[in-house]
Amino acid sequence: MRKVSLLLTVFVLFSASAAKAEMSCQDVVGSSICRSMDKITHSMQSYCTGDSCYALWQRQLDMMRQFTHNYENNVGFGTSMSLEMGSLAYSAADLICRVKSTGACEWMKALYYAKVDALYVLEEIQSNASLTNIRRCSLTYTCP
């Protein structure tokens, strides 16, 4: 009887420590991810015309690539996310899906691939936050 009790106690303690905690915007890694999503959202709300777009697009490319890289290197697959993180991911994905750009082919191609990679991560965050309405879209780019 004593052996069974000890084994059960060890199993319960191991199970509790193995359970993954939910990542939130207050965590070290989570706060970095949340700040990146917020920066993406704000950059997608900026409008430009002519040559000023190139600087904005470069900034958006850098932010989306940094966000994707940071997430893929610091967040484990299937990590549970807070509702706040899911909401931020939804907002960023919504703007990425809605904002359309036209310009030189090489810029449109670079933006397309950065957006596709960022959207993949944003969809994963929404899913891991248990959002029922996940923002996703199909992107295209055309060259003039």
Side-chain angles (χ1 to χ4, degrees):
M1 183 67 170
R2 187 169 221 219
K3 208 183 239 185
V4 172
S5 175
L6 179 61
L7 183 61
L8 183 59
T9 303
V10 169
F11 176 74
V12 169
L13 288 174
F14 179 74
S15 297
S17 66
K20 292 181 181 178
E22 180 179 86
M23 183 177 285
S24 75
C25 291
Q26 286 69 45
D27 300 335
V28 173
V29 173
S31 68
S32 176
I33 300 294
C34 290
R35 283 186 181 121
S36 292
M37 289 189 289
D38 197 44
K39 286 180 182 180
I40 290 170
T41 299
H42 287 294
S43 77
M44 289 294 169
Q45 292 172 335
S46 301
Y47 297 99
C48 64
T49 57
D51 290 342
S52 65
C53 292
Y54 297 117
L56 176 62
W57 292 339
Q58 187 62 58
R59 181 173 157 82
Q60 290 173 343
L61 282 169
D62 292 343
M63 281 190 272
M64 286 187 282
R65 288 174 178 158
Q66 179 185 8
F67 164 71
T68 302
H69 178 78
N70 186 19
Y71 183 86
E72 289 174 347
N73 288 310
N74 295 301
V75 179
F77 184 76
T79 299
S80 180
M81 304 285 174
S82 69
L83 184 58
E84 178 185 17
M85 290 186 79
S87 296
L88 285 170
Y90 183 95
S91 296
D94 184 54
L95 281 168
I96 288 173
C97 290
R98 288 190 297 124
V99 171
K100 305 296 180 210
S101 303
T102 55
C105 191
E106 62 271 5
W107 281 99
M108 296 304 99
K109 187 176 181 179
L111 280 169
Y112 169 81
Y113 285 112
K115 285 179 175 185
V116 166
D117 291 344
L119 280 171
Y120 178 81
V121 170
L122 293 167
E123 287 178 22
E124 185 174 307
I125 291 171
Q126 293 172 77
S127 177
N128 292 347
S130 299
L131 295 187
T132 54
N133 185 24
I134 295 174
R135 182 61 164 116
R136 48 175 64 102
C137 61
S138 296
L139 298 174
T140 59
Y141 73 94
T142 55
C143 294

